[in-house]
Amino acid sequence: MSVKETIHIYHTNDYHSHFENWPRVAQFLKERKAYHEAMKEDVFIFDIGDFVDRWHPFTESTMGKGNIALLNDVGYTAVTIGNNEGITLPHNGLDELYTDANFDVIVANLYYPNRKRPRWALPHQIYETKQGTKIGVIAVTAYYKKLYELLGWDLSEPLTELEIQINRLKDKTDMIILLSHLGIYDDEKIAGLYPNIDLILGGHTHHILHTGKQVNRTTLAAAGKYGQYAGYVKAIKKQDMKVEMDASLMETIKLPSVCNEENIIKSYAEIGKKKLNSEVTIIPEPLSFDWSYPSQLPQILCEAIHEWCDADCTLINSGLVLRPLQRGKVTKYDLHQMLPHPINPCTVELTGAELKEIILHAESDHWPELKVIGLGFRGEVMGKFIYRGIEINRSKLDATIAGKSLEPDKIYKLGTIDMFTFGKFFPEIQRSERKEYYMPEFLRDVMEWKLKKLYGPQQ
């Protein structure tokens, strides 16, 4: 069967502001786009979310708008949002993120609380090739409903929204592509449930599909994380109108280097540092940190969360703190480098018996060197646990809370970090139904507030 049309699709996902790989991928995408256009071929470039991550000073200082300028420069066709765009920016930050975007933003399951769609968010888009093939593109993002609500958004269930959009497109298009920031397991499920979808470009779980994956009649493609790969799908439309998908990945390290590459990469960090150089306070003595032993900065952070959340007691890990503070001027850049995590404080209501289990578990010797990846954590190891309002009697395997004996049936409000509510570190925290998240403030915002209380705001 002869070929009627070839459509070129490039995709990226889960960059998380890892700009060390961006110059090569950007050059590659621009060159490929220019080549296909010169050959009168149709080419589309999509990003599947989490391109913005506030761990990097360039992203932090521009609230993600610098990232959007990078996407503009390449000439992306469309993007969707990941949880890093959706729940690490304050409401206005996300609402204004794409003001200067030269590409479509597609996300079907995001609404304002009044169930109106944001002016910048399309539920789907139809693209038409030079030969008249109509390609419907839908996008959905991960279902962190409660966290979105705390930031002033309403998130609908993604598969329900997806079905609505498929029904609107299936009779109007020749091909349907899903941009899915849901993860590999949901993508496989979707491929089984919705045979109308020809191609799922995935992300969120950082999965790598070197040559794609076929699930029933749907092709899945994904390019890992941090720009380590650039994804490519060649869609070949035959004379009988059937479409074959040929998926592959290009390893970034094997792409041609870029002139002045190292300086370009460094420039992003320098721009961020310069923009974040505003003074917060002045400290009379240096403040230290240690991941294995009690130290100043983790204890100050623990006290700050305790006060911010008005908790009965507080528990955090010292591995959150990544840098010391030197004597003298403290800037927003210093705090960002010390606490780059997109992590929020939270409280969890627990019985005394549950709280005791958590405290005894936190005293285990394995924590300080435990490597931690994901869940917003941008450090290296868990570190020793730090407490406020908790005194431990190790010989009796018991604890007091705010100076009083722990009561097994009493309900306590534990101050901590949202990472422990998502991960499986403490089952008692994860399964509690009484959680309160303090958003949009990150740990560095709470630390800034505490340092100003201790040392005074810089005038």
Side-chain angles (χ1 to χ4, degrees):
M1 184 67 66
S2 60
V3 174
K4 180 181 179 183
E5 183 179 13
T6 301
I7 300 164
H8 304 276
I9 301 164
Y10 294 86
H11 58 101
T12 56
N13 62 274
D14 296 280
Y15 246 87
H16 288 279
S17 296
H18 275 262
F19 300 123
E20 67 270 19
N21 288 318
W22 180 248
R24 292 191 186 196
V25 171
Q27 176 179 263
F28 169 75
L29 292 175
K30 286 192 282 188
E31 288 178 350
R32 297 307 297 168
K33 183 181 182 186
Y35 172 79
H36 293 308
E37 290 176 345
M39 298 297 290
K40 309 298 183 185
E41 297 173 330
D42 289 285
V43 56
F44 301 91
I45 308 176
F46 300 109
D47 185 77
I48 321 302
D50 279 0
F51 189 75
V52 169
D53 192 320
R54 291 175 59 187
W55 79 271
H56 196 289
F58 178 76
T59 303
E60 175 76 354
S61 67
T62 64
M63 290 302 284
K65 286 181 174 290
N67 297 56
I68 304 311
L70 299 181
L71 295 172
N72 280 341
D73 178 59
V74 167
Y76 272 70
T77 308
V79 309
T80 193
I81 68 168
N83 44 288
N84 273 267
E85 287 89 2
I87 56 176
T88 71
L89 293 168
H91 181 93
N92 288 344
L94 175 58
D95 210 25
E96 298 170 3
L97 178 63
Y98 299 102
T99 300
D100 299 320
N102 297 331
F103 46 80
D104 292 328
V105 182
I106 306 174
V107 53
N109 60 324
L110 181 73
Y111 295 87
Y112 293 126
N114 58 11
R115 293 298 288 182
K116 287 187 178 180
R117 294 189 183 277
R119 63 196 178 281
W120 47 268
L122 303 170
H124 65 255
Q125 183 64 291
I126 299 175
Y127 300 98
E128 188 170 345
T129 70
K130 295 176 180 64
Q131 295 192 34
T133 299
K134 292 182 179 178
I135 303 172
V137 179
I138 308 168
V140 285
T141 196
Y143 192 50
Y144 294 108
K145 184 174 178 62
K146 181 176 181 180
L147 299 181
Y148 274 91
E149 287 176 349
L150 291 171
L151 292 169
W153 298 104
D154 185 12
L155 205 65
S156 64
E157 199 283 318
L159 268 63
T160 302
E161 193 70 59
L162 176 61
E163 186 167 0
I164 293 169
Q165 301 307 320
I166 290 172
N167 288 331
R168 291 175 179 172
L169 288 178
K170 63 183 181 181
D171 296 327
K172 299 178 181 178
T173 59
D174 304 297
M175 183 191 307
I176 294 179
I177 299 173
L178 171 63
L179 313 182
S180 168
H181 198 85
L182 300 181
I184 181 63
Y185 304 111
D186 279 340
D187 291 353
E188 291 173 342
K189 178 181 177 181
I190 288 167
L193 289 173
Y194 304 107
N196 295 96
I197 299 175
D198 297 276
L199 174 64
I200 299 176
L201 302 177
H204 187 49
T205 46
H206 301 177
H207 50 290
I208 300 170
L209 300 176
H210 286 282
T211 56
K213 181 175 183 177
Q214 200 70 24
V215 178
N216 296 334
R217 67 171 299 274
T218 304
T219 301
L220 278 59
K225 64 178 181 178
Y226 304 164
Q228 295 165 344
Y229 298 92
Y232 172 55
V233 178
K234 181 189 289 186
I236 304 169
K237 188 176 180 182
K238 302 296 186 69
Q239 289 289 354
D240 62 0
M241 307 306 286
K242 291 182 179 179
V243 179
E244 293 181 359
M245 301 286 183
D246 181 13
S248 60
L249 296 179
M250 275 64 68
E251 193 172 2
T252 303
I253 197 170
K254 295 179 180 178
L255 294 175
S257 61
V258 176
C259 180
N260 210 27
E261 185 174 321
E262 289 302 318
N263 287 335
I264 293 171
I265 295 167
K266 289 178 182 177
S267 73
Y268 299 133
E270 289 301 318
I271 290 169
K273 182 176 182 179
K274 185 175 181 180
K275 286 180 176 289
L276 292 173
N277 195 36
S278 57
E279 295 183 17
V280 170
T281 190
I282 293 176
I283 58 176
E285 298 295 336
L287 297 174
S288 63
F289 79 102
D290 195 289
W291 296 334
S292 301
Y293 302 96
S295 57
Q296 295 166 296
L297 284 171
Q299 192 62 54
I300 293 173
L301 177 61
C302 188
E303 292 173 1
I305 293 171
H306 184 79
E307 295 171 22
W308 186 269
C309 297
D310 191 25
D312 296 322
C313 54
T314 298
L315 170 154
I316 66 167
N317 59 305
S318 61
L320 291 165
V321 177
L322 306 186
R323 299 283 190 280
L325 290 178
Q326 304 302 323
R327 175 180 177 273
K329 180 176 71 173
V330 176
T331 68
K332 285 185 176 291
Y333 177 78
D334 295 326
L335 297 182
H336 180 269
Q337 295 299 287
M338 182 174 70
L339 295 163
H341 326 279
I343 288 177
N344 305 100
C346 72
T347 58
V348 184
E349 290 189 14
L350 302 155
T351 66
E354 291 171 324
L355 182 57
K356 182 177 179 179
E357 288 298 314
I358 291 167
I359 294 168
L360 293 176
H361 190 193
E363 284 295 287
S364 171
D365 292 335
H366 80 282
W367 291 115
E369 300 302 321
L370 179 69
K371 300 284 185 182
V372 182
I373 299 173
L375 303 172
F377 189 69
R378 302 296 185 254
E380 297 179 28
V381 297
M382 183 70 78
K384 182 179 176 61
F385 276 91
I386 306 297
Y387 310 102
R388 175 69 163 80
I390 298 172
E391 293 290 336
I392 301 170
N393 186 327
R394 290 174 178 81
S395 63
K396 295 183 179 180
L397 296 178
D398 205 352
T400 60
I401 307 299
K404 298 180 180 179
S405 296
L406 190 151
E407 300 177 36
D409 297 324
K410 182 178 178 179
I411 299 297
Y412 294 91
K413 185 165 75 169
L414 175 69
T416 188
I417 56 175
D418 63 15
M419 180 174 84
F420 296 140
T421 71
F422 305 135
K424 297 180 180 180
F425 306 105
F426 299 102
E428 297 84 1
I429 291 177
Q430 189 182 30
R431 64 175 172 248
S432 171
E433 296 181 357
R434 302 179 300 274
K435 304 183 184 82
E436 182 176 358
Y437 297 93
Y438 292 78
M439 302 175 75
E441 294 85 7
F442 286 158
L443 299 182
R444 53 184 172 270
D445 300 311
V446 178
M447 180 63 109
E448 177 178 337
W449 168 81
K450 179 64 174 177
L451 291 175
K452 286 177 177 178
K453 280 188 67 176
L454 291 173
Y455 302 106
Q458 179 61 16
Q459 302 298 320

